[in-house]
Amino acid sequence: MPEQTTDHLTHVRSDGSAHMVDVSAKRITARVARAAGRVLLSPQAIAALRDDTVPKGDALAVARIAGIQGAKRTPELVPLAHPVAVHAASVDLTVADDGVDIEAEVRTADRTGIEMEALTCVTVAALALIDMVKAVDKHARITDVRVTAKSGGRSGDWAEPHA
């Protein structure tokens, strides 16, 4: 892998210090980002989710709302993320045999991308899910969090290749 210098890193000045990129001259465009991840769970936790017997209550509903809140709070959590207006955020949680698949889509019309908001949405939803099921499964694990697609902006559209 070639060595990357600070000349090519947008958030690093020539002296090596981090800074927030100025996006004020960029055009406002519609932008969408999708992200996904998984929470691996024990058979007992899966059964509790399917039977709606999680001791703390509706774990999937709490995770969904937490994910949406996370997307809206991203600039408070990620130091160099720009505050962008989150115009829409959706979170889908699907219970599988070995865990829960989480997919999020976040939309804006702004000057910069919304990928960090989509990743934060998935991650916070996963954290909330673990908090809800920890009495049943102390070994729950977040895995495979990634951007799966983005559209809008200067770099154009991109989607994760499907296997």
Side-chain angles (χ1 to χ4, degrees), residues 63-134:
R64 185 175 300 107
I65 296 299
I68 293 167
Q69 285 182 311
K72 296 190 301 184
R73 306 292 291 264
T74 298
E76 296 173 35
L77 302 169
V78 181
L80 299 179
H82 290 86
V84 296
V86 173
H87 294 130
S90 63
V91 184
D92 294 315
L93 297 105
T94 305
V95 180
D97 290 339
D98 62 345
V100 175
D101 294 312
I102 303 170
E103 294 182 351
E105 180 178 282
V106 183
R107 295 177 172 267
T108 191
D110 217 314
R111 289 180 166 83
T112 190
I114 199 152
E115 296 90 345
M116 294 310 299
E117 285 75 6
L119 289 167
T120 303
C121 186
V122 167
T123 304
V124 172
L127 290 169
L129 181 63
I130 288 174
D131 181 51
M132 293 296 290
V133 302
K134 66 186 178 190

Short mmCIF file of all heavy atoms in Angstrom, two decimals, residues 63-134:
data_model
loop_
_atom_site.label_atom_id
_atom_site.label_comp_id
_atom_site.label_asym_id
_atom_site.label_seq_id
_atom_site.Cartn_x
_atom_site.Cartn_y
_atom_site.Cartn_z
N ALA A 63 -33.91 0.31 19.87
CA ALA A 63 -32.73 0.39 19.01
C ALA A 63 -33.01 1.28 17.79
O ALA A 63 -32.15 2.07 17.38
CB ALA A 63 -32.30 -1.00 18.58
N ARG A 64 -34.19 1.16 17.21
CA ARG A 64 -34.55 1.96 16.04
C ARG A 64 -34.53 3.45 16.39
O ARG A 64 -33.93 4.26 15.68
CB ARG A 64 -35.93 1.56 15.54
CG ARG A 64 -36.36 2.26 14.26
CD ARG A 64 -37.70 1.73 13.74
NE ARG A 64 -37.60 0.30 13.45
CZ ARG A 64 -38.16 -0.68 14.19
NH1 ARG A 64 -38.87 -0.39 15.26
NH2 ARG A 64 -38.02 -1.94 13.85
N ILE A 65 -35.16 3.83 17.48
CA ILE A 65 -35.20 5.23 17.89
C ILE A 65 -33.80 5.72 18.26
O ILE A 65 -33.40 6.83 17.90
CB ILE A 65 -36.16 5.44 19.08
CG1 ILE A 65 -37.59 5.11 18.65
CG2 ILE A 65 -36.07 6.85 19.64
CD1 ILE A 65 -38.13 5.97 17.53
N ALA A 66 -33.02 4.90 18.95
CA ALA A 66 -31.66 5.27 19.31
C ALA A 66 -30.81 5.53 18.07
O ALA A 66 -30.01 6.47 18.02
CB ALA A 66 -31.02 4.19 20.18
N GLY A 67 -30.97 4.70 17.05
CA GLY A 67 -30.22 4.88 15.81
C GLY A 67 -30.54 6.21 15.16
O GLY A 67 -29.65 6.94 14.72
N ILE A 68 -31.82 6.55 15.10
CA ILE A 68 -32.22 7.82 14.51
C ILE A 68 -31.64 8.98 15.31
O ILE A 68 -31.10 9.94 14.74
CB ILE A 68 -33.76 7.91 14.42
CG1 ILE A 68 -34.28 6.88 13.40
CG2 ILE A 68 -34.21 9.33 14.06
CD1 ILE A 68 -35.78 6.65 13.44
N GLN A 69 -31.70 8.90 16.63
CA GLN A 69 -31.10 9.94 17.48
C GLN A 69 -29.60 10.04 17.23
O GLN A 69 -29.04 11.13 17.18
CB GLN A 69 -31.36 9.66 18.95
CG GLN A 69 -32.76 9.95 19.38
CD GLN A 69 -32.94 9.69 20.87
OE1 GLN A 69 -32.55 8.64 21.38
NE2 GLN A 69 -33.54 10.64 21.56
N GLY A 70 -28.95 8.89 17.09
CA GLY A 70 -27.51 8.88 16.84
C GLY A 70 -27.15 9.59 15.56
O GLY A 70 -26.18 10.36 15.51
N ALA A 71 -27.93 9.36 14.50
CA ALA A 71 -27.66 10.03 13.23
C ALA A 71 -27.72 11.54 13.40
O ALA A 71 -26.87 12.27 12.88
CB ALA A 71 -28.67 9.58 12.17
N LYS A 72 -28.70 12.02 14.16
CA LYS A 72 -28.87 13.46 14.35
C LYS A 72 -27.79 14.07 15.23
O LYS A 72 -27.54 15.26 15.17
CB LYS A 72 -30.26 13.75 14.94
CG LYS A 72 -31.38 13.35 13.98
CD LYS A 72 -32.74 13.83 14.42
CE LYS A 72 -33.17 13.33 15.76
NZ LYS A 72 -34.55 13.74 16.11
N ARG A 73 -27.13 13.25 16.05
CA ARG A 73 -26.12 13.76 16.99
C ARG A 73 -24.68 13.50 16.54
O ARG A 73 -23.74 13.74 17.28
CB ARG A 73 -26.32 13.11 18.36
CG ARG A 73 -27.70 13.21 18.97
CD ARG A 73 -28.14 14.60 19.38
NE ARG A 73 -27.46 15.18 20.48
CZ ARG A 73 -27.88 15.15 21.75
NH1 ARG A 73 -28.99 14.57 22.06
NH2 ARG A 73 -27.17 15.75 22.67
N THR A 74 -24.49 13.02 15.33
CA THR A 74 -23.16 12.63 14.85
C THR A 74 -22.09 13.71 15.05
O THR A 74 -21.00 13.40 15.54
CB THR A 74 -23.23 12.18 13.38
OG1 THR A 74 -24.09 11.03 13.32
CG2 THR A 74 -21.87 11.82 12.82
N PRO A 75 -22.33 14.98 14.70
CA PRO A 75 -21.26 15.97 14.86
C PRO A 75 -20.81 16.17 16.31
O PRO A 75 -19.70 16.63 16.55
CB PRO A 75 -21.86 17.27 14.31
CG PRO A 75 -23.04 16.86 13.53
CD PRO A 75 -23.51 15.54 14.07
N GLU A 76 -21.65 15.79 17.26
CA GLU A 76 -21.25 15.87 18.67
C GLU A 76 -20.32 14.72 19.05
O GLU A 76 -19.60 14.80 20.04
CB GLU A 76 -22.48 15.85 19.58
CG GLU A 76 -23.38 17.05 19.40
CD GLU A 76 -24.66 16.91 20.20
OE1 GLU A 76 -24.62 16.34 21.30
OE2 GLU A 76 -25.70 17.38 19.70
N LEU A 77 -20.36 13.64 18.29
CA LEU A 77 -19.60 12.43 18.62
C LEU A 77 -18.34 12.26 17.77
O LEU A 77 -17.37 11.68 18.24
CB LEU A 77 -20.49 11.20 18.43
CG LEU A 77 -21.78 11.19 19.25
CD1 LEU A 77 -22.70 10.07 18.78
CD2 LEU A 77 -21.46 11.05 20.72
N VAL A 78 -18.38 12.73 16.54
CA VAL A 78 -17.26 12.58 15.61
C VAL A 78 -16.66 13.97 15.41
O VAL A 78 -17.28 14.82 14.76
CB VAL A 78 -17.73 11.95 14.28
CG1 VAL A 78 -16.55 11.78 13.33
CG2 VAL A 78 -18.43 10.62 14.54
N PRO A 79 -15.48 14.23 15.95
CA PRO A 79 -14.96 15.60 16.04
C PRO A 79 -14.90 16.39 14.74
O PRO A 79 -15.17 17.58 14.75
CB PRO A 79 -13.54 15.40 16.60
CG PRO A 79 -13.60 14.10 17.31
CD PRO A 79 -14.59 13.26 16.56
N LEU A 80 -14.57 15.80 13.61
CA LEU A 80 -14.43 16.57 12.39
C LEU A 80 -15.61 16.43 11.43
O LEU A 80 -15.58 16.91 10.30
CB LEU A 80 -13.12 16.20 11.67
CG LEU A 80 -11.85 16.47 12.48
CD1 LEU A 80 -10.62 16.06 11.70
CD2 LEU A 80 -11.76 17.92 12.92
N ALA A 81 -16.68 15.78 11.90
CA ALA A 81 -17.89 15.67 11.07
C ALA A 81 -18.60 17.01 11.06
O ALA A 81 -18.72 17.68 12.07
CB ALA A 81 -18.82 14.59 11.64
N HIS A 82 -19.05 17.41 9.87
CA HIS A 82 -19.78 18.67 9.74
C HIS A 82 -21.21 18.50 10.25
O HIS A 82 -21.82 17.45 10.05
CB HIS A 82 -19.86 19.09 8.27
CG HIS A 82 -18.56 19.53 7.73
ND1 HIS A 82 -17.64 18.66 7.19
CD2 HIS A 82 -18.00 20.76 7.65
CE1 HIS A 82 -16.57 19.32 6.80
NE2 HIS A 82 -16.76 20.60 7.06
N PRO A 83 -21.75 19.53 10.88
CA PRO A 83 -23.17 19.48 11.23
C PRO A 83 -23.99 19.59 9.93
O PRO A 83 -23.91 20.60 9.25
CB PRO A 83 -23.39 20.70 12.11
CG PRO A 83 -22.04 21.27 12.39
CD PRO A 83 -21.10 20.72 11.39
N VAL A 84 -24.67 18.55 9.58
CA VAL A 84 -25.54 18.57 8.40
C VAL A 84 -26.97 18.34 8.87
O VAL A 84 -27.21 17.68 9.89
CB VAL A 84 -25.15 17.50 7.34
CG1 VAL A 84 -23.76 17.78 6.78
CG2 VAL A 84 -25.22 16.11 7.89
N ALA A 85 -27.89 18.88 8.12
CA ALA A 85 -29.30 18.70 8.44
C ALA A 85 -29.71 17.29 8.05
O ALA A 85 -29.62 16.92 6.88
CB ALA A 85 -30.14 19.73 7.71
N VAL A 86 -30.12 16.50 9.01
CA VAL A 86 -30.63 15.16 8.72
C VAL A 86 -32.11 15.33 8.37
O VAL A 86 -32.92 15.66 9.23
CB VAL A 86 -30.44 14.21 9.92
CG1 VAL A 86 -31.12 12.87 9.67
CG2 VAL A 86 -28.95 14.02 10.21
N HIS A 87 -32.43 15.14 7.10
CA HIS A 87 -33.81 15.32 6.66
C HIS A 87 -34.63 14.05 6.77
O HIS A 87 -35.86 14.13 6.83
CB HIS A 87 -33.83 15.84 5.21
CG HIS A 87 -33.27 17.22 5.10
ND1 HIS A 87 -32.31 17.56 4.19
CD2 HIS A 87 -33.50 18.34 5.83
CE1 HIS A 87 -32.00 18.84 4.34
NE2 HIS A 87 -32.71 19.33 5.33
N ALA A 88 -33.98 12.90 6.79
CA ALA A 88 -34.68 11.63 6.98
C ALA A 88 -33.68 10.60 7.47
O ALA A 88 -32.52 10.61 7.07
CB ALA A 88 -35.33 11.16 5.68
N ALA A 89 -34.15 9.72 8.34
CA ALA A 89 -33.33 8.61 8.81
C ALA A 89 -34.26 7.43 9.08
O ALA A 89 -35.29 7.58 9.73
CB ALA A 89 -32.58 8.98 10.09
N SER A 90 -33.88 6.29 8.55
CA SER A 90 -34.66 5.09 8.83
C SER A 90 -33.71 3.97 9.26
O SER A 90 -32.57 3.92 8.82
CB SER A 90 -35.46 4.66 7.59
OG SER A 90 -34.59 4.31 6.53
N VAL A 91 -34.21 3.12 10.12
CA VAL A 91 -33.43 2.00 10.65
C VAL A 91 -34.30 0.76 10.57
O VAL A 91 -35.42 0.75 11.08
CB VAL A 91 -33.02 2.23 12.12
CG1 VAL A 91 -32.13 1.10 12.61
CG2 VAL A 91 -32.32 3.57 12.30
N ASP A 92 -33.79 -0.27 9.93
CA ASP A 92 -34.47 -1.56 9.87
C ASP A 92 -33.65 -2.59 10.62
O ASP A 92 -32.44 -2.70 10.39
CB ASP A 92 -34.67 -2.00 8.41
CG ASP A 92 -35.61 -1.09 7.66
OD1 ASP A 92 -36.68 -0.75 8.22
OD2 ASP A 92 -35.29 -0.71 6.53
N LEU A 93 -34.30 -3.32 11.51
CA LEU A 93 -33.65 -4.37 12.27
C LEU A 93 -34.34 -5.69 11.95
O LEU A 93 -35.56 -5.79 12.07
CB LEU A 93 -33.74 -4.08 13.77
CG LEU A 93 -33.00 -2.80 14.19
CD1 LEU A 93 -33.98 -1.71 14.48
CD2 LEU A 93 -32.11 -3.07 15.37
N THR A 94 -33.55 -6.68 11.55
CA THR A 94 -34.09 -7.98 11.17
C THR A 94 -33.47 -9.05 12.04
O THR A 94 -32.23 -9.20 12.06
CB THR A 94 -33.78 -8.28 9.68
OG1 THR A 94 -34.29 -7.21 8.89
CG2 THR A 94 -34.42 -9.59 9.25
N VAL A 95 -34.29 -9.76 12.78
CA VAL A 95 -33.79 -10.83 13.64
C VAL A 95 -33.48 -12.05 12.78
O VAL A 95 -34.33 -12.55 12.05
CB VAL A 95 -34.82 -11.19 14.73
CG1 VAL A 95 -34.29 -12.32 15.62
CG2 VAL A 95 -35.17 -9.96 15.56
N ALA A 96 -32.23 -12.50 12.85
CA ALA A 96 -31.78 -13.70 12.14
C ALA A 96 -31.51 -14.79 13.17
O ALA A 96 -31.67 -14.57 14.38
CB ALA A 96 -30.51 -13.38 11.34
N ASP A 97 -31.07 -15.94 12.72
CA ASP A 97 -30.83 -17.06 13.64
C ASP A 97 -29.64 -16.85 14.57
O ASP A 97 -29.59 -17.45 15.64
CB ASP A 97 -30.65 -18.37 12.87
CG ASP A 97 -31.97 -18.83 12.23
OD1 ASP A 97 -33.05 -18.40 12.68
OD2 ASP A 97 -31.89 -19.62 11.27
N ASP A 98 -28.70 -15.99 14.18
CA ASP A 98 -27.51 -15.78 15.00
C ASP A 98 -27.33 -14.34 15.46
O ASP A 98 -26.31 -14.00 16.06
CB ASP A 98 -26.26 -16.24 14.25
CG ASP A 98 -26.02 -15.44 12.98
OD1 ASP A 98 -26.94 -14.74 12.52
OD2 ASP A 98 -24.90 -15.53 12.43
N GLY A 99 -28.31 -13.49 15.17
CA GLY A 99 -28.17 -12.10 15.59
C GLY A 99 -29.21 -11.22 14.95
O GLY A 99 -30.26 -11.69 14.49
N VAL A 100 -28.91 -9.94 14.92
CA VAL A 100 -29.81 -8.95 14.33
C VAL A 100 -29.04 -8.17 13.28
O VAL A 100 -27.96 -7.64 13.55
CB VAL A 100 -30.37 -7.99 15.40
CG1 VAL A 100 -31.22 -6.89 14.77
CG2 VAL A 100 -31.20 -8.76 16.43
N ASP A 101 -29.60 -8.13 12.07
CA ASP A 101 -29.04 -7.32 10.99
C ASP A 101 -29.64 -5.93 11.09
O ASP A 101 -30.86 -5.78 11.26
CB ASP A 101 -29.37 -7.93 9.63
CG ASP A 101 -28.69 -9.28 9.44
OD1 ASP A 101 -27.48 -9.37 9.70
OD2 ASP A 101 -29.38 -10.24 9.04
N ILE A 102 -28.80 -4.91 10.98
CA ILE A 102 -29.24 -3.52 11.08
C ILE A 102 -28.89 -2.83 9.77
O ILE A 102 -27.75 -2.90 9.31
CB ILE A 102 -28.55 -2.80 12.25
CG1 ILE A 102 -28.81 -3.54 13.56
CG2 ILE A 102 -29.03 -1.34 12.34
CD1 ILE A 102 -27.98 -3.04 14.73
N GLU A 103 -29.88 -2.16 9.19
CA GLU A 103 -29.66 -1.36 7.99
C GLU A 103 -30.24 0.02 8.23
O GLU A 103 -31.34 0.15 8.77
CB GLU A 103 -30.32 -2.01 6.77
CG GLU A 103 -29.69 -3.33 6.40
CD GLU A 103 -30.33 -3.94 5.16
OE1 GLU A 103 -31.37 -3.43 4.68
OE2 GLU A 103 -29.79 -4.94 4.68
N ALA A 104 -29.48 1.04 7.81
CA ALA A 104 -29.93 2.42 7.99
C ALA A 104 -29.79 3.18 6.68
O ALA A 104 -28.89 2.90 5.88
CB ALA A 104 -29.10 3.10 9.07
N GLU A 105 -30.67 4.13 6.50
CA GLU A 105 -30.57 5.07 5.39
C GLU A 105 -30.79 6.46 5.94
O GLU A 105 -31.74 6.70 6.69
CB GLU A 105 -31.62 4.77 4.31
CG GLU A 105 -31.52 5.73 3.14
CD GLU A 105 -32.52 5.42 2.05
OE1 GLU A 105 -32.25 4.47 1.28
OE2 GLU A 105 -33.54 6.12 1.97
N VAL A 106 -29.88 7.38 5.59
CA VAL A 106 -29.96 8.76 6.06
C VAL A 106 -29.91 9.67 4.84
O VAL A 106 -29.11 9.45 3.93
CB VAL A 106 -28.82 9.07 7.05
CG1 VAL A 106 -28.95 10.49 7.60
CG2 VAL A 106 -28.81 8.07 8.21
N ARG A 107 -30.75 10.71 4.84
CA ARG A 107 -30.85 11.64 3.71
C ARG A 107 -30.68 13.08 4.16
O ARG A 107 -31.08 13.44 5.27
CB ARG A 107 -32.23 11.51 3.05
CG ARG A 107 -32.48 10.17 2.41
CD ARG A 107 -33.90 10.09 1.84
NE ARG A 107 -34.04 8.87 1.09
CZ ARG A 107 -33.83 8.78 -0.22
NH1 ARG A 107 -33.50 9.84 -0.91
NH2 ARG A 107 -33.96 7.62 -0.84
N THR A 108 -30.12 13.88 3.26
CA THR A 108 -29.98 15.31 3.49
C THR A 108 -29.94 16.03 2.16
O THR A 108 -29.81 15.41 1.11
CB THR A 108 -28.70 15.63 4.28
OG1 THR A 108 -28.74 17.00 4.70
CG2 THR A 108 -27.45 15.39 3.46
N ALA A 109 -30.05 17.34 2.21
CA ALA A 109 -29.70 18.23 1.11
C ALA A 109 -28.72 19.21 1.74
O ALA A 109 -29.13 20.10 2.49
CB ALA A 109 -30.93 18.92 0.53
N ASP A 110 -27.44 19.00 1.48
CA ASP A 110 -26.42 19.80 2.16
C ASP A 110 -25.16 19.84 1.31
O ASP A 110 -25.12 19.33 0.20
CB ASP A 110 -26.14 19.21 3.56
CG ASP A 110 -25.89 20.29 4.59
OD1 ASP A 110 -25.10 21.24 4.31
OD2 ASP A 110 -26.45 20.21 5.69
N ARG A 111 -24.09 20.42 1.88
CA ARG A 111 -22.84 20.63 1.16
C ARG A 111 -21.84 19.49 1.30
O ARG A 111 -20.80 19.49 0.65
CB ARG A 111 -22.19 21.91 1.66
CG ARG A 111 -22.90 23.15 1.25
CD ARG A 111 -22.21 24.40 1.78
NE ARG A 111 -22.70 25.58 1.11
CZ ARG A 111 -23.81 26.23 1.45
NH1 ARG A 111 -24.55 25.78 2.46
NH2 ARG A 111 -24.20 27.28 0.78
N THR A 112 -22.11 18.56 2.18
CA THR A 112 -21.17 17.47 2.40
C THR A 112 -21.92 16.18 2.67
O THR A 112 -23.12 16.22 2.95
CB THR A 112 -20.17 17.82 3.53
OG1 THR A 112 -19.13 16.86 3.57
CG2 THR A 112 -20.86 17.89 4.88
N GLY A 113 -21.21 15.08 2.57
CA GLY A 113 -21.83 13.76 2.67
C GLY A 113 -22.40 13.43 4.03
O GLY A 113 -22.15 14.10 5.02
N ILE A 114 -23.14 12.34 4.05
CA ILE A 114 -23.87 11.94 5.25
C ILE A 114 -23.53 10.51 5.65
O ILE A 114 -24.25 9.86 6.39
CB ILE A 114 -25.38 12.18 5.02
CG1 ILE A 114 -26.14 12.25 6.34
CG2 ILE A 114 -25.96 11.18 4.04
CD1 ILE A 114 -27.37 13.09 6.29
N GLU A 115 -22.37 10.02 5.16
CA GLU A 115 -21.96 8.66 5.48
C GLU A 115 -21.71 8.46 6.97
O GLU A 115 -22.07 7.42 7.53
CB GLU A 115 -20.69 8.27 4.70
CG GLU A 115 -20.87 8.22 3.21
CD GLU A 115 -20.58 9.54 2.51
OE1 GLU A 115 -20.50 10.60 3.19
OE2 GLU A 115 -20.42 9.52 1.28
N MET A 116 -21.10 9.44 7.63
CA MET A 116 -20.83 9.29 9.06
C MET A 116 -22.13 9.20 9.85
O MET A 116 -22.21 8.46 10.83
CB MET A 116 -19.97 10.45 9.59
CG MET A 116 -18.56 10.47 9.00
SD MET A 116 -17.69 8.88 9.09
CE MET A 116 -17.64 8.62 10.84
N GLU A 117 -23.16 9.92 9.42
CA GLU A 117 -24.45 9.84 10.09
C GLU A 117 -25.06 8.45 9.93
O GLU A 117 -25.64 7.91 10.88
CB GLU A 117 -25.39 10.92 9.54
CG GLU A 117 -25.07 12.32 10.03
CD GLU A 117 -23.85 12.96 9.38
OE1 GLU A 117 -23.25 12.38 8.44
OE2 GLU A 117 -23.46 14.05 9.83
N ALA A 118 -24.92 7.86 8.74
CA ALA A 118 -25.46 6.51 8.53
C ALA A 118 -24.71 5.49 9.38
O ALA A 118 -25.31 4.59 9.98
CB ALA A 118 -25.39 6.14 7.05
N LEU A 119 -23.38 5.62 9.45
CA LEU A 119 -22.58 4.71 10.29
C LEU A 119 -22.92 4.88 11.77
O LEU A 119 -23.02 3.89 12.51
CB LEU A 119 -21.09 4.95 10.06
CG LEU A 119 -20.53 4.49 8.72
CD1 LEU A 119 -19.14 5.08 8.50
CD2 LEU A 119 -20.50 2.98 8.64
N THR A 120 -23.08 6.11 12.20
CA THR A 120 -23.43 6.37 13.60
C THR A 120 -24.81 5.82 13.90
O THR A 120 -25.04 5.24 14.98
CB THR A 120 -23.36 7.87 13.91
OG1 THR A 120 -22.04 8.34 13.59
CG2 THR A 120 -23.66 8.16 15.36
N CYS A 121 -25.72 5.96 12.96
CA CYS A 121 -27.08 5.43 13.12
C CYS A 121 -27.03 3.93 13.40
O CYS A 121 -27.64 3.44 14.37
CB CYS A 121 -27.86 5.73 11.85
SG CYS A 121 -29.60 5.30 11.89
N VAL A 122 -26.30 3.19 12.58
CA VAL A 122 -26.19 1.73 12.76
C VAL A 122 -25.52 1.40 14.08
O VAL A 122 -25.98 0.53 14.83
CB VAL A 122 -25.42 1.10 11.58
CG1 VAL A 122 -25.03 -0.35 11.89
CG2 VAL A 122 -26.26 1.16 10.31
N THR A 123 -24.43 2.10 14.39
CA THR A 123 -23.66 1.78 15.59
C THR A 123 -24.44 2.08 16.87
O THR A 123 -24.44 1.26 17.80
CB THR A 123 -22.34 2.56 15.57
OG1 THR A 123 -21.64 2.24 14.36
CG2 THR A 123 -21.46 2.19 16.76
N VAL A 124 -25.13 3.20 16.91
CA VAL A 124 -25.91 3.53 18.11
C VAL A 124 -27.10 2.59 18.25
O VAL A 124 -27.44 2.18 19.36
CB VAL A 124 -26.33 5.02 18.10
CG1 VAL A 124 -27.29 5.33 19.23
CG2 VAL A 124 -25.09 5.91 18.20
N ALA A 125 -27.71 2.22 17.13
CA ALA A 125 -28.80 1.22 17.19
C ALA A 125 -28.26 -0.09 17.77
O ALA A 125 -28.91 -0.72 18.62
CB ALA A 125 -29.40 0.99 15.80
N ALA A 126 -27.07 -0.49 17.34
CA ALA A 126 -26.46 -1.73 17.84
C ALA A 126 -26.15 -1.62 19.34
O ALA A 126 -26.41 -2.56 20.10
CB ALA A 126 -25.19 -2.05 17.05
N LEU A 127 -25.63 -0.49 19.76
CA LEU A 127 -25.34 -0.30 21.19
C LEU A 127 -26.61 -0.35 22.02
O LEU A 127 -26.64 -0.98 23.10
CB LEU A 127 -24.63 1.05 21.40
CG LEU A 127 -23.21 1.15 20.89
CD1 LEU A 127 -22.74 2.60 20.92
CD2 LEU A 127 -22.28 0.25 21.69
N ALA A 128 -27.67 0.29 21.55
CA ALA A 128 -28.94 0.27 22.28
C ALA A 128 -29.50 -1.15 22.35
O ALA A 128 -30.03 -1.56 23.39
CB ALA A 128 -29.94 1.21 21.63
N LEU A 129 -29.38 -1.89 21.26
CA LEU A 129 -29.86 -3.28 21.26
C LEU A 129 -29.10 -4.10 22.30
O LEU A 129 -29.71 -4.85 23.07
CB LEU A 129 -29.70 -3.89 19.86
CG LEU A 129 -30.19 -5.32 19.72
CD1 LEU A 129 -31.68 -5.42 19.98
CD2 LEU A 129 -29.85 -5.85 18.34
N ILE A 130 -27.79 -3.94 22.34
CA ILE A 130 -27.01 -4.67 23.34
C ILE A 130 -27.43 -4.27 24.75
O ILE A 130 -27.57 -5.12 25.63
CB ILE A 130 -25.50 -4.46 23.12
CG1 ILE A 130 -25.05 -5.23 21.86
CG2 ILE A 130 -24.69 -4.92 24.33
CD1 ILE A 130 -23.62 -4.98 21.46
N ASP A 131 -27.64 -2.98 24.97
CA ASP A 131 -28.09 -2.54 26.29
C ASP A 131 -29.42 -3.18 26.67
O ASP A 131 -29.63 -3.57 27.82
CB ASP A 131 -28.22 -1.02 26.31
CG ASP A 131 -28.65 -0.51 27.67
OD1 ASP A 131 -28.02 -0.88 28.68
OD2 ASP A 131 -29.65 0.24 27.74
N MET A 132 -30.29 -3.34 25.71
CA MET A 132 -31.61 -3.92 25.98
C MET A 132 -31.55 -5.42 26.28
O MET A 132 -32.36 -5.93 27.04
CB MET A 132 -32.55 -3.67 24.80
CG MET A 132 -32.92 -2.21 24.59
SD MET A 132 -33.86 -1.50 25.96
CE MET A 132 -35.42 -2.35 25.75
N VAL A 133 -30.60 -6.14 25.66
CA VAL A 133 -30.56 -7.60 25.82
C VAL A 133 -29.45 -8.09 26.74
O VAL A 133 -29.29 -9.29 26.93
CB VAL A 133 -30.46 -8.33 24.46
CG1 VAL A 133 -31.62 -7.97 23.56
CG2 VAL A 133 -29.13 -8.08 23.78
N LYS A 134 -28.70 -7.18 27.35
CA LYS A 134 -27.53 -7.61 28.13
C LYS A 134 -27.88 -8.50 29.32
O LYS A 134 -27.05 -9.30 29.75
CB LYS A 134 -26.69 -6.41 28.57
CG LYS A 134 -27.37 -5.50 29.55
CD LYS A 134 -26.51 -4.28 29.81
CE LYS A 134 -27.21 -3.34 30.75
NZ LYS A 134 -26.53 -2.06 30.85
#
